[in-house]
Amino acid sequence: MNTTTSGAVLQLLLGEDWLPICDRSALIPGRGVAALLPDGRQAALFVDRGGRTYAIDNRDPYSGAQVLSRGLTGTRDGRAFVASPLLKQCFDLETGRCLDDDAVAVTVYASRLAH
Amino acid sequence: MPETTSLPTIVVVGHGMVGQRFLEALAKRGTTGRARIVVLCEEPRPAYDRVRLTSYFSGRTPDELSLVEPDFMERHGIELYLDDPAETVDRTTRTVTSRAGLTFTYDTLVLATGSYPYLPPVPGRDATGCFVYRTIEDLLAIEEYAKTARTGAVVGGGLLGLEAAGALRGLRLDTHIVEFAPRLMPVQVDEGGGAALLRTIEGMGLTVHTGVGTREVTTDASGAVNGMALSDGSVLAADLVVFSAGVRPRDRLARDAGLRVGERGGIAVDERCRTSDPRIFAIGECALAADGRVYGLVAPGYEMARTAADAIAEVAEGAAEFTGADLSTKLKLLGVDVASFGDAHGAAPGCLDVVYADSRSGVYKKVVVGADGSLLGGVLVGDADAYGMLRPLTGSVPPVPPEQLVLPPGAGTPAALGPASLPDSAVICGCHNVTKSAITACATLPEVKKCTKAGTGCGSCVKVIGQLLPAAGDGGLCGCFPHTRGELYEIVRTLRVTSYASLLDSHGREGARGGDGCEICKPAIGSIIASLAPTLGLSGHVLDGEQAALQDTNDHFLANLQRNGSYSIVPRIPGGEITPEKLIVIGEVARDFGLYTKITGGQRIDLFGARVEQLPVIWARLVAAGFESGHAYGKALRTVKSCVGRTWCRYGVQDSVRMAIDLELRYRGLRAPHKLKSAVSGCARECAEARGKDFGIIATAEGWNLYVGGNGGAEPRHADLLARDLDDESLVRLIDRFLMFYIRTADRLERTSAWLGRIEGGLDHVRDVVVNDSLGLCGELERLMADHVTGYRDEWAQTLEDPERLSRFVSFVNAPDAPDPTVRFVPERDQMKPDLTFLTLEGVSAR
């Protein structure tokens, strides 16, 4: 769990290393951004109103398009989620589980804000 | 006409509301496929809604009053002869002969000849300028004659008389009503109700004379009406007289054929609507029912239609019988609600009245209660909202004390009686005889209408049906807000809320406050704030500040997301008019960026396949060439299509292109609960397909007709006429009001067609609000639109000027210049299309 601090940098845990991605200021609560990872995968990064950061795979498993970063986020039963901008399936931002279909999930990355 | 068919022949005489209902009932029972069906109709047009005849004066055309689906007759193989009434029935040869000389042999004959207006035996009643009020033709004749008349008098202050008075008032005549009884609507309402009605109607500027008869219609030298001499010795000047003093059953055919008729008229029938000749049936206002009464209301007529159809189709089980009907009725006469049900006059021995009257507001309510406490009947004038609840309760002991049935809500009463307290067997829709249990078996109002027909007759039960249906949860917008979109609009407007977060924290559900909302309420509230932005003093740009996080991806990137993650671009082309230079720019842009181009249905050009980071570069080219955002991505005005109009077309009567451009430029950027489409046609040929639009305009010789609530898509609907022959200025003013009223009251993602179908009172209510200003809202609606028009800025031009906004158009936050490698294209028909196989290689199967 991280809190907002100005000048902070968002990092993702890839293998054993924390990879710096962007300044905290590049994120708006409720709106995601996409990041290109060294292995060619893409991550969708989010921050909520409380300043907590989340990172999941950017690929919408239903369409195959790399668009989850462009979905709308929200809170359902106290848990953060993003709705795919294509066909609106929702994914839990902490577990990656699809809230509309138990059999589908996306990869989750650990994230933190560092100085 | 030679008879060649071996199928049994059913001849129907009369094609009014009941005749048509009978045909529908036959079709439903499959009889239309097993018999030859011939219909003889006296009027020059198929069945229409006689009950709503007066709505012609508020803009309904005769076609719109039609009750017959355009292909109904063909689909069921029914032969309909218009303008050719039956003249004689010969029971020995079993033949019917029409006025034109056609002769049909019947196996079964159904008489649905209706009734004729009663003309009191006063001298001068046939003078030029005397009319009856029964058919569209009567109405057209009155309209024509009224052009040279100033004062009109209606003889008869009953239901039809008040309808006719409404018509004369609609024709702007100085209108008088002459009623012989001591009060208006003597059959339906009691003295108190009549007094309330009288005050309200006189308040509208009509003059009512009660307790006087008509002695003579006086004429001038040319034989035209110039007044009436009344029984009290007074003289009333009038240029036009309408007799509406009741109706009589049209039973002449039956009399001539020797069928049994009642002493005071009406073709005598049994419980199955069979006359004294078992091959002949009679239904509707021409029939004398088994209980010895003639019914002049449409609901009993429909019931008889069903009964006769059951008998003719030989329905074995549960066949309907008609043994009498409830005369309960709810009407809006001259804009006043009037309802009467059960024992309205308290005729039962030992019964007691409970009355509430408020002369200031013209409200009168009375319920009649039996000695055992059961509800026997009642009268409601001025406010008949309770009718839908009270009528089904008739005959039972209400679950609350009777005074609570008439007191206005909040007047010292606990929670009002809700429809939940009605028994399952209570009949909610009197027109179609639908019970509460049949309604609660459905989930939505459209489903109720489709499955049970409830609510499709007079519509008085729609409110109660709505209350019986399971609300979507508690009717709130989503899991975050307990309010509807309309309520949230009012909260934002009146409390001047400018941020989603503050609205969620102040008005959200307990558990949702402080959270991040959801994908349903964010764009909905984003749209409300955007609609009100000029009024709230915000810049209104959808990318600004916190607003940015509320928008669906399309509004966020001002483009339409396509299935491979690329976007499409639609520049605005107002009215579909474009110069060659601009066309060339679009072509060059598409060529230079490798975009797929397609002409849209809205007379624009869609450019597909742009990646996020290309959008600003492409738009810089388009804006430089004079293009603006087309808002194809937003719940906003899309396009106003047009035909080429009077300028070029030899049929055109107005300049439809200019009007389309004016309207598109006026309403561009207007955020709404759903997308808005429009079109303008230059003549009645309607090449722009305006009646398939949310608001459509069709040119007339005099100006413009405005239609609203049309839709294409999955549930096509023709738009309804809101007003006719408007000049430019009135047209724009009316559209301003209509759009703002829609934006204010519609639900999230509710198109105008669904909205019109849902809101109480439907089109008539909307017309009252936006044309007659019944809620006193029009000034404010116009101001809101004026704010929008002055506040409009092109979103793309604004975005290009602002580095902060532009910074969002990057593919990757950590590699802003790297294109997304998964957005790939393959060639097809000399253009390119998304490479979907590449995308789905490792995906779960998409829907």
Side-chain angles (χ1 to χ4, degrees), chain B residues 489 491-493 495-503 524-548 550-551 669 671 784 786-793 795 798 805:
Chain B
Y489 179 98
I491 291 168
V492 169
R493 189 180 64 85
L495 300 181
R496 308 183 69 79
V497 181
T498 54
S499 108
Y500 170 81
S502 65
L503 185 66
I525 288 162
S527 156
I528 291 173
I529 294 176
S531 295
L532 287 167
T535 304
L536 297 173
L538 296 172
S539 81
H541 191 285
V542 297
L543 279 187
D544 276 347
E546 195 214 19
Q547 280 283 91
L550 303 181
Q551 309 302 335
R671 256 44 193 206
L784 285 167
D787 286 345
H788 162 77
V789 174
T790 28
Y792 169 82
R793 300 286 179 275
E795 289 165 2
Q798 282 186 305
R805 288 171 186 162

Side-chain angles (χ1 to χ4, degrees), chain B residues 560 562 567-591 595-608 618-619 622 627-632 639 641 664 831:
Chain B
N560 290 52
Q562 304 297 333
Y567 286 86
S568 80
I569 294 169
V570 184
R572 185 167 300 288
I573 301 178
E577 181 184 85
I578 187 165
T579 61
E581 286 71 25
K582 282 189 156 182
L583 267 181
I584 288 167
V585 170
I586 289 184
E588 286 174 346
V589 166
R591 183 193 60 207
L595 304 176
Y596 167 83
T597 52
K598 191 169 191 310
I599 310 287
T600 71
Q603 302 183 338
R604 322 204 268 188
I605 300 172
D606 207 340
L607 310 169
F608 290 80
I618 293 171
W619 268 105
L622 293 171
F627 285 105
E628 291 187 352
S629 166
H631 297 98
T639 84
K641 275 175 74 170
E664 185 157 344
Q831 297 201 67

Side-chain angles (χ1 to χ4, degrees), chain B residues 639-642 660 677-681 688-690 693 695-698:
Chain B
T639 84
V640 183
K641 275 175 74 170
S642 67
K677 296 183 172 184
S678 179
V680 183
S681 277
E689 297 165 329
K693 304 299 181 193
F695 59 105
I697 296 96
I698 301 177

Side-chain angles (χ1 to χ4, degrees), chain B residues 129-152:
Chain B
C130 284
F131 296 90
V132 294
Y133 187 75
R134 184 73 185 155
T135 66
I136 287 182
E137 271 54 45
D138 293 336
L139 187 144
L140 295 175
I142 292 171
E143 185 182 33
E144 183 59 33
Y145 197 82
K147 285 177 183 167
T148 56
R150 290 184 54 193
T151 305

Side-chain angles (χ1 to χ4, degrees), chain A residues 21-22 29 31 33-36 42 48-49 59 61-62 64-67 70 72-75 81 83 85-88 90, chain B residues 505 514-517 519 522 548-549 551-553 556 561 563 565 567 612 811-814 820 822 839 842-844 846:
Chain A
I21 302 288
C22 63
R31 194 93 241 174
V33 297
L36 188 59
Q42 299 182 20
D48 67 17
R49 272 177 79 190
R59 186 173 182 278
Y62 289 90
Q66 300 275 356
V67 294
R70 300 181 218 157
L72 279 171
T73 61
T75 314
F81 70 89
L86 280 165
L87 294 174
K88 314 290 177 200
C90 295
Chain B
D505 294 351
D516 278 66
E519 79 285 8
K522 279 177 160 181
Q551 309 302 335
D552 253 325
T553 188
H556 192 61
L561 180 65
R563 61 189 303 169
Y567 286 86
V612 170
S811 51
F812 299 108
V813 67
N814 59 345
D820 180 348
T822 68
L839 285 182
E842 46 183 312
V844 297

Side-chain angles (χ1 to χ4, degrees), chain B residues 32 94 100 111 256 322 381 384 414 425 470 577 596 606 659 667 687 721 807:
Chain B
T32 43
R94 295 209 323 260
L111 300 172
D256 292 352
F322 187 89
V381 174
S425 59
E577 181 184 85
Y596 167 83
D606 207 340
M659 181 53 75
Y667 303 120
C687 297
L721 183 66
S807 68

Side-chain angles (χ1 to χ4, degrees), chain B residues 457-479:
Chain B
C458 69
S460 68
C461 59
V462 169
K463 189 172 181 182
V464 172
I465 294 175
Q467 291 165 341
L468 283 172
L469 294 173
D474 55 3
L477 181 66
C478 61

